[in-house]
Amino acid sequence: MPRPKRDEQFENGEICIVHAVQRCVRRAFLAGVDAQTGKDYSFRKEWIRRRMEALASVFGIDVLSYAVMSNHLHVILRNRPDVVASWSNAEVAIRWLRVFPGRRMEEHLAEPTEHEVKVLAGNVERIAE
């Protein structure tokens, strides 16, 4: 019997704590020293930590704990629908545009323009989604 879909396991608006695991494929090495090649990938641990921190600051998610292993990553996450419910349409648009800048060629998590925020905040269906 297959496991239930994630959208069937959680209620909208309910605060949940989730353990998620992400594995590398094809014997790829994520962090630490690869015994096969001798290459040191330890720098990736700090990169992953900073990226998780940046994304958690944009989305309504708390990173409670994490572990970066040699070929996989564990994270304990808590969603915050109570916090997200207090965001204005403009705040949702700013957060979305920081991560998904569209055609802007700037760095991710950069500040969107006032015009981009107004256009997206005015699209009520997209903001609700």
Side-chain angles (χ1 to χ4, degrees):
M1 180 175 176
R3 70 177 174 193
K5 296 178 183 174
R6 287 201 175 123
D7 65 349
E8 295 171 353
Q9 294 178 355
F10 307 109
E11 294 292 327
N12 275 347
E14 179 181 293
I15 296 175
C16 302
I17 296 177
V18 178
H19 173 225
V21 178
Q22 180 65 48
R23 291 194 162 281
C24 295
V25 296
R26 298 183 184 148
R27 294 187 173 189
F29 213 75
L30 181 61
V33 179
D34 184 351
Q36 297 291 327
T37 64
K39 290 184 180 178
D40 186 3
Y41 297 103
S42 297
F43 66 92
R44 290 180 176 170
K45 287 185 179 185
E46 180 61 18
W47 180 85
I48 291 166
R49 185 199 63 76
R50 284 186 310 210
R51 187 66 179 168
M52 280 192 301
E53 185 178 297
L55 290 173
S57 74
V58 173
F59 293 110
I61 294 174
D62 295 330
V63 178
L64 302 178
S65 184
Y66 70 95
V68 180
M69 312 302 278
S70 63
N71 69 343
H72 65 287
L73 168 74
H74 292 267
V75 291
I76 307 292
L77 305 170
R78 175 176 53 204
N79 68 333
R80 296 304 307 266
D82 54 331
V83 172
V84 172
S86 69
W87 293 346
S88 67
N89 287 359
E91 191 169 358
V92 171
I94 288 168
R95 289 168 180 269
W96 180 261
L97 290 168
R98 281 182 184 159
V99 179
F100 302 104
R103 295 184 180 174
R104 281 186 289 135
M105 300 303 286
E106 301 166 9
E107 174 101 13
H108 281 281
L109 302 174
E111 288 299 318
T113 66
E114 190 175 322
H115 175 72
E116 291 171 322
V117 172
K118 280 185 182 179
V119 169
L120 184 55
N123 188 340
V124 179
E125 292 100 19
R126 190 157 175 218
I127 292 293
E129 184 182 333

